[in-house]
Amino acid sequence: MRAAVLAEFGAPDAFRIAEVPTPVRINAEVLVKVAAAGVNPIDAKTRAGKGVADAVTSLPCILGYDFAGVVVEIPFAGHPLNVGDEVFGMMSTPRGEGSYAEYVSVPSLQVTRTPKTLSLIEAGAVPLAALTAWGLVVDLAKAHEGQRMLITGASGGVGHFAVQFASYFGVRVAATASARNQAWLRELGASTVLDYDLTGWEDQLSDLDVVVDLVGNTVDDTGRRALTTLRPGGLMVNAPTGSWPTLDEEAAEAGVRATTFKVAPDAATLAVVARLIDSGDVRVHIDKTFPLADIAAAHASLESGHTRGKLVLQIGELPF
Ligand SMILES: NC(=O)c1ccc[n+]([C@@H]2O[C@H](COP(=O)([O-])OP(=O)(O)OC[C@H]3O[C@@H](n4cnc5c(N)ncnc54)[C@H](OP(=O)(O)O)[C@@H]3O)[C@@H](O)[C@H]2O)c1
């Protein structure tokens, strides 16, 4: 099969398109012919030798968490998925090869049917970002009617799902983004959108119940500034976990609670997300699609830090 292979850690042009062995399906795995793979910041961090690079046991390797495609082999006749089903899910990269490849063999609990209303390209953008947003907003923050929540970095892959999940559950959402994304985030359900380029944006918010922090302290002390918007006992949930090693101490000093978070593959939650997409309550926004051969451009674009919604790699030829 064809795959984007990383022979050594480095810049976006470190990938090579190469022929590699197709994975052999074992145990309860499902073999999927991949149509599309979402591109996520963790892929870029790992490619550069950070992220989860320490867990890459040998190079060359194949990165990529998100996939959408068509089932080509099932583990047993009565399996709930059938050959030909359109499915999506999340890999456990780098415990095994990732989804920047024409085929993945994936455990049954990590794969489910795609939303009926999405193309495979759109579905490929959903898994890791939506599972992260669900974990932060629903599982950790317990989103509910009347809750007041700030989401920083709201216009990116995770953020645009987080805004929609929170507003679906009746949360009053404030968001930070640049000026060009303000109207769009209001359409997605944010009631207040603050331009992060304006000095003192954090002074316009107070006594919030939750901050979902998708920026951390990598830029402009965003996380630290967002902390000041919480009520006593409020909750800060932080996704860019490496950016803020003193989070616990600073939260305790401010009289608020804090936790980091790590996303995990979860087909059951993805099936719930698929229903919200099919009912029209949640949408996925694709900023740009790249052919697999242009993976360097996709990673460079992601690293610009200003993706609206998601970037996707198209892997198979369409129609599939
Ligand atoms: N712990 C986990 O399990 C986990 C899982 C997923 C993601 N993450 C981390 O969470 C972070 C967000 O992920 P993502 O996929 O959503 O990233 P992304 O899609 O690359 O985020 C891009 C967005 O960030 C916005 N942005 C840039 N600088 C900003 C600032 N100073 N303030 C507010 N917004 C800003 C941009 O908005 P503008 O274009 O308007 O500037 C853009 O829309 C990443 O660090 C990622 O590694 C962690």
Side-chain angles (χ1 to χ4, degrees), residues 264-309:
D266 175 2
T269 297
L270 268 187
V272 173
V273 170
R275 283 204 290 279
L276 289 176
I277 290 172
D278 280 339
S279 63
D281 290 299
V282 169
R283 46 186 153 126
V284 55
H285 180 86
I286 311 282
D287 193 330
K288 195 164 177 199
T289 303
F290 297 82
L292 183 63
D294 290 347
I295 187 165
H299 269 230
S301 176
L302 183 89
E303 286 179 322
S304 78
H306 298 290
T307 304
R308 175 186 283 180

Side-chain angles (χ1 to χ4, degrees), residues 41 45 132 153 155-158 178 180-181 196 214 239 261 263 305-307:
K45 292 174 190 176
T132 305
S155 49
V158 177
S178 64
R180 76 183 181 103
N181 283 317
Y196 62 72
L214 303 175
F261 170 76
V263 66
H306 298 290
T307 304

Side-chain angles (χ1 to χ4, degrees), residues 39-42 45 128-129 132 152-160 176-181 184 196 201 213-215 218-220 222 238-241 260-264 302 305-310:
V39 182
N40 291 289
I42 185 65
K45 292 174 190 176
L128 186 145
T132 305
T152 65
S155 49
V158 177
H160 88 300
T176 63
S178 64
R180 76 183 181 103
N181 283 317
W184 179 61
Y196 62 72
W201 55 260
D213 175 26
L214 303 175
V215 181
T218 45
V219 191
D220 295 338
T222 302
N238 164 269
T241 51
T260 52
F261 170 76
K262 293 288 179 189
V263 66
L302 183 89
H306 298 290
T307 304
R308 175 186 283 180
K310 294 293 304 173

Side-chain angles (χ1 to χ4, degrees), residues 109-201:
L109 291 175
Q110 296 176 212
V111 56
T112 190
R113 286 188 181 81
T114 54
K116 293 179 186 63
T117 51
L118 292 191
S119 68
L120 285 172
I121 294 288
E122 292 167 318
V126 172
L128 186 145
L131 287 172
T132 305
W134 191 273
L136 295 164
V137 168
V138 183
D139 295 338
L140 282 176
K142 312 264 183 273
H144 59 267
E145 194 77 41
Q147 192 181 45
R148 295 172 69 234
M149 180 183 290
L150 166 65
I151 300 171
T152 65
S155 49
V158 177
H160 88 300
F161 285 120
V163 169
Q164 295 179 82
F165 294 156
S167 68
Y168 177 80
F169 285 105
V171 174
R172 224 177 135 66
V173 177
T176 63
S178 64
R180 76 183 181 103
N181 283 317
Q182 313 256 312
W184 179 61
L185 284 172
R186 278 199 192 85
E187 263 175 52
L188 295 185
S191 44
T192 307
V193 187
L194 300 169
D195 181 346
Y196 62 72
D197 280 326
L198 297 182
T199 314
W201 55 260

Side-chain angles (χ1 to χ4, degrees), residues 62-151:
I62 302 171
L63 300 181
Y65 285 87
D66 289 338
F67 65 88
V70 173
V71 173
V72 288
E73 270 182 37
I74 52 174
F76 48 88
H79 193 275
L81 295 174
N82 296 308
V83 170
D85 283 352
E86 296 196 347
V87 292
F88 68 155
M90 182 183 152
M91 307 296 290
S92 302
T93 323
R95 306 267 188 238
E97 304 290 31
S99 58
Y100 290 178
E102 284 181 314
Y103 291 86
V104 292
S105 192
V106 56
S108 293
L109 291 175
Q110 296 176 212
V111 56
T112 190
R113 286 188 181 81
T114 54
K116 293 179 186 63
T117 51
L118 292 191
S119 68
L120 285 172
I121 294 288
E122 292 167 318
V126 172
L128 186 145
L131 287 172
T132 305
W134 191 273
L136 295 164
V137 168
V138 183
D139 295 338
L140 282 176
K142 312 264 183 273
H144 59 267
E145 194 77 41
Q147 192 181 45
R148 295 172 69 234
M149 180 183 290
L150 166 65
I151 300 171

